[in-house]
Amino acid sequence: MWGDEPQLKILRERIKLLLKIHHADLAPVQRHASQGELLMQQGDPATSLMLLTSGKVAIQIRLLELKPHTLAVVEAEELLGEMGLFGTGSHSADVRVVEGPAELVEVSGDNFLKTLLFDVDLAMEMLALVSQRCKSSNMVIGLLLDGIAAAYRGDTAQMAAIADAIRPLDYCLSLASDRLVELGKCRA
């Protein structure tokens, strides 16, 4: 989901290298999680950062409906938990293993934040990662808002074009876009 894949791949490699450099300070712990296991729960305190090394996890959010909405399904080499760690101090979404078992490297949030204080490069890489994710999410949200406007107008051609634009960016949100196309067809 989170944007320009070649740029993110380079960014992930640089973060992994910086984490390796600070291995002793970070004191990472290997973790194994089975399919269906909840790794982070929305609203719980963010106390650690995880690097997913194998398996797939779903990022799910619960708002007004009791059933969670899947925002993204991410694979190995993805960082998890940084938004809660850097933001409000609590997780903004559930993170659940959807294809496992999953292998993770977990780092204490306190250790990670202390390391950031002394390594500007690591801090800048994390800022770049979070910024890229926000930029990509903003683009998908903008496309969905354009889709809602097109559905309101009954412009099925525009809605189909928007759905096609979202599909390669984010499979999970493309499902919402497909629903929007169906709603627009009813309106037309």
Side-chain angles (χ1 to χ4, degrees), residues 41-111:
Q41 186 167 349
Q42 183 176 335
D44 280 359
T47 58
S48 65
L49 181 75
M50 295 182 195
L51 174 65
L52 178 66
T53 57
S54 71
K56 289 184 182 180
V57 299
I59 312 301
Q60 301 175 319
I61 191 165
R62 290 173 278 109
L63 297 172
L64 299 177
E65 292 191 24
L66 296 177
K67 182 181 174 195
H69 296 284
T70 299
L71 299 178
V73 175
V74 296
E75 299 183 33
E77 305 298 314
E78 198 65 68
L79 284 172
L80 307 168
E82 78 288 341
M83 288 177 60
L85 199 59
F86 297 142
T88 62
S90 61
H91 295 297
S92 60
D94 291 344
V95 178
R96 183 178 306 280
V97 178
V98 291
E99 190 176 299
E103 305 287 327
L104 304 112
V105 176
E106 187 169 13
V107 174
S108 151
D110 289 339
N111 288 354

Side-chain angles (χ1 to χ4, degrees), residues 3-148:
D4 181 16
E5 203 52 44
Q7 182 182 3
L8 275 179
K9 187 174 182 172
I10 293 168
L11 184 57
R12 284 187 201 113
E13 290 302 316
R14 291 193 313 231
I15 289 173
K16 283 188 340 189
L17 176 64
L18 289 166
L19 291 174
K20 194 178 283 187
I21 290 169
H22 295 288
H23 188 272
D25 296 326
L26 293 172
V29 175
Q30 294 290 330
R31 186 167 170 194
H32 307 279
S34 57
Q35 188 160 325
E37 187 173 333
L38 187 64
L39 300 171
M40 297 174 186
Q41 186 167 349
Q42 183 176 335
D44 280 359
T47 58
S48 65
L49 181 75
M50 295 182 195
L51 174 65
L52 178 66
T53 57
S54 71
K56 289 184 182 180
V57 299
I59 312 301
Q60 301 175 319
I61 191 165
R62 290 173 278 109
L63 297 172
L64 299 177
E65 292 191 24
L66 296 177
K67 182 181 174 195
H69 296 284
T70 299
L71 299 178
V73 175
V74 296
E75 299 183 33
E77 305 298 314
E78 198 65 68
L79 284 172
L80 307 168
E82 78 288 341
M83 288 177 60
L85 199 59
F86 297 142
T88 62
S90 61
H91 295 297
S92 60
D94 291 344
V95 178
R96 183 178 306 280
V97 178
V98 291
E99 190 176 299
E103 305 287 327
L104 304 112
V105 176
E106 187 169 13
V107 174
S108 151
D110 289 339
N111 288 354
F112 189 75
L113 293 172
K114 287 175 191 173
T115 302
L116 282 180
L117 288 173
F118 298 104
D119 190 329
V120 172
D121 290 333
L122 182 58
M124 293 305 293
E125 295 297 341
M126 290 304 298
L127 181 59
L129 176 69
V130 172
S131 295
Q132 183 63 37
R133 287 181 177 175
C134 288
K135 179 181 170 186
S136 298
S137 295
N138 286 346
M139 185 169 61
V140 172
I141 290 167
L143 286 167
L144 285 172
L145 290 172
D146 286 346
I148 291 169

